[in-house]
């Protein structure tokens, strides 16, 4: 079973700074099957990135995804106030279906 | 833009069956996979399973023995049944577009809290 581990658990930054969020898989993940989501309190998750590096419709270009194999990264180039939220990575494997990481909380410093 | 909305009881008794429906508007349920995902503070986000518009399904192995997902294309909706529930099934349940060979969830319902309690 592929387990996704996100780090750090909490990231404290200021608006305007760069955020780098990590998602590490216990086994190789096909890049096509790696996605990132943003979730704000009381809301459903919102798709940000799919296929490891493709931005979803309407997502600002300050969000970017990269990585392959077992190490994937979500980067927010310059934080806006509305970017402070919880971020999840998600993968698909034929044997187990879809699984999510435990999340990284991005909070205002 | 497609809009999804969950409906169903907010309270279910232990050992009974949790039943939810998801209505899809603003687009056809055809040619897509549709999923159920739940979220708890302890286990985080957990994919329950998906259904293709044709009726083919895939389930999370850990829940497979208790889950049935079905689709009604005439009503543009799909449904979740989870039987023999316990307190561990208390969660916010989301319906979402995606699953199967479309490995991303690009539209989500608002979510509905289901509590399992006597």
């Amino acid at each position: 079973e592929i387990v996704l581990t996100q780090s750090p658990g909490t990231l404290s930054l200021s608006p305007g700074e760069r955020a780098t969020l990590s998602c590490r898989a216990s086994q190789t993940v096909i890049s096509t099957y790696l996605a990132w989501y943003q979730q704000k309190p009381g809301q459903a998750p919102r798709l940000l990135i799919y296929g490891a590096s493709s931005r979803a419709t309407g997502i600002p270009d300050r969000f970017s995804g990269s990585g392959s194999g077992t190490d994937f990264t979500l980067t927010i180039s310059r934080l806006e106030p509305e970017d402070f939220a919880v971020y999840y990575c998600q993968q698909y494997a034929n044997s187990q279906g879809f699984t999510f990481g435990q999340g990284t909380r991005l909070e205002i410093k | 833009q497609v809009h999804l909305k969950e409906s169903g009881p907010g309270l279910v008794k232990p050992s009974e069956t949790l039943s939810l429906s998801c209505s899809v508007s603003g687009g056809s349920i055809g040619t897509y996979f549709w999923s159920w995902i739940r979220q708890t503070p302890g286990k985080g986000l957990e994919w329950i399973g998906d259904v293709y518009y044709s009726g083919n399904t895939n389930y999370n192995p850990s829940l497979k023995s208790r889950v049935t997902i079905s689709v009604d294309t005439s009503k543009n909706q799909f449904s979740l049944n989870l039987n023999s529930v316990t307190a561990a099934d208390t969660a916010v349940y989301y319906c979402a577009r995606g699953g199967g060979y479309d490995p991303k969830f690009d539209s989500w319902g608002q979510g509905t809290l289901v509590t399992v309690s006597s």
Side-chain angles (χ1 to χ4, degrees), chain A residues 2 7 10 19 23 28 31-32 36 38-39 41 43 47 62 69 72 78 80-81 83 89 96 99 102-103:
Chain A
I2 299 178
S7 61
T10 301
C23 176
T28 296
S31 295
T32 305
W36 289 92
Q38 175 194 69
Q39 186 176 33
Q43 296 183 17
L47 177 68
R62 63 180 182 273
F72 297 89
R78 191 174 170 84
E80 297 287 343
D83 297 336
C89 56
Q96 67 183 109
T99 58
Q102 84 281 13

Side-chain angles (χ1 to χ4, degrees), chain A residues 32-35 37 39 42-47 49-51 88 90 92 95-102, chain B residues 35 37 39 44-47 50 59-61 94 98-111:
Chain A
T32 305
Y33 296 154
L34 195 288
Y37 300 83
Q39 186 176 33
Q43 296 183 17
R46 177 175 71 144
L47 177 68
I49 301 289
Y50 65 95
Y88 296 95
Q90 165 248 303
Y92 170 80
S95 60
Q96 67 183 109
F98 297 87
T99 58
F100 294 84
Q102 84 281 13
Chain B
S35 287
I37 297 163
Q39 186 172 30
L45 289 162
E46 182 178 34
W47 174 77
D50 62 44
Y59 299 129
N60 186 322
Y94 295 100
Y101 59 71
D102 182 17
K104 64 185 184 297
F105 306 107
D106 62 2
S107 294
W108 295 64
Q110 64 188 21

Side-chain angles (χ1 to χ4, degrees), chain A residues 39 42-45, chain B residues 6 9-10 18 20 36-42 44-48 80 87-95 108-116:
Chain A
Q39 186 176 33
Q43 296 183 17
Chain B
E6 305 88 354
L18 181 160
L20 296 174
W36 287 97
I37 297 163
R38 67 183 183 181
Q39 186 172 30
T40 61
L45 289 162
E46 182 178 34
W47 174 77
I48 299 169
L80 167 69
D89 295 309
T90 295
V92 175
Y93 285 77
Y94 295 100
C95 58
W108 295 64
Q110 64 188 21
T112 187
L113 174 63
V114 179
T115 301
V116 178

Side-chain angles (χ1 to χ4, degrees), chain B residues 13-28:
Chain B
K13 289 183 168 54
S15 79
E16 295 191 343
T17 297
L18 181 160
S19 296
L20 296 174
S21 293
C22 181
S23 296
V24 178
S25 58
S28 172

Side-chain angles (χ1 to χ4, degrees), chain B residues 17-81:
Chain B
T17 297
L18 181 160
S19 296
L20 296 174
S21 293
C22 181
S23 296
V24 178
S25 58
S28 172
I29 206 165
T31 73
Y32 287 100
F33 279 89
W34 303 90
S35 287
W36 287 97
I37 297 163
R38 67 183 183 181
Q39 186 172 30
T40 61
K43 292 191 70 175
L45 289 162
E46 182 178 34
W47 174 77
I48 299 169
D50 62 44
V51 61
Y52 195 45
Y53 78 101
S54 62
N56 290 345
T57 54
N58 301 286
Y59 299 129
N60 186 322
S62 69
L63 297 169
K64 187 174 184 177
S65 63
R66 299 194 291 130
V67 174
T68 303
I69 298 176
S70 59
V71 63
D72 187 335
T73 54
S74 67
K75 295 182 179 178
N76 231 38
Q77 68 181 35
F78 61 105
S79 300
L80 167 69
N81 279 347

